[in-house]
Amino acid sequence: IAGVPDILLIKDGEIFGLELKALGGAVRPSQRLAHAAMQEAGAKTAIAKGLDEALITLECWGILRRDNSKITAFPKASPETKTNERADSGT
């Protein structure tokens, strides 16, 4: 059906529609109409440009959960890294 989002999900009785677009991709009028009709019926819809936006949208909806235990803000420096940093700084 023209305009229906690329991904349709049902979770805990709620309906979600996610349209996936490449960076720079345009939304067609039929897609805007389909999203509006779905929202009027109580569904949550979104348009994601790129993979990162799609994943963030799914996280915000509670469809996906990020496993923060595997994320490190700063990798631990090895003794070799510290030696190289000193050599690069001229000290």
Side-chain angles (χ1 to χ4, degrees):
I1 300 173
V4 174
D6 294 315
I7 299 174
L8 294 173
L9 302 161
I10 300 172
K11 181 183 180 207
D12 299 329
E14 287 187 273
I15 298 174
F16 302 87
L18 182 59
E19 180 65 32
L20 305 173
K21 291 291 179 190
L23 296 175
V27 179
R28 296 188 314 263
S30 62
Q31 292 169 323
R32 291 189 194 283
L33 290 171
H35 281 241
M38 289 178 67
Q39 290 170 359
E40 190 174 314
K44 293 181 182 178
T45 67
I47 298 164
K49 294 186 178 180
L51 179 60
D52 289 338
E53 279 189 21
L55 293 173
I56 289 169
T57 300
L58 294 172
E59 288 175 3
C60 289
W61 285 344
I63 305 292
L64 294 179
R65 277 189 303 161
R66 182 178 302 215
D67 183 358
N68 289 327
S69 68
K70 296 181 181 179
I71 299 173
T72 56
F74 300 102
K76 293 182 180 178
S78 67
E80 296 153 356
T81 304
K82 292 179 183 177
T83 303
N84 290 339
E85 288 172 359
R86 281 189 222 118
D88 291 341
S89 65
T91 57

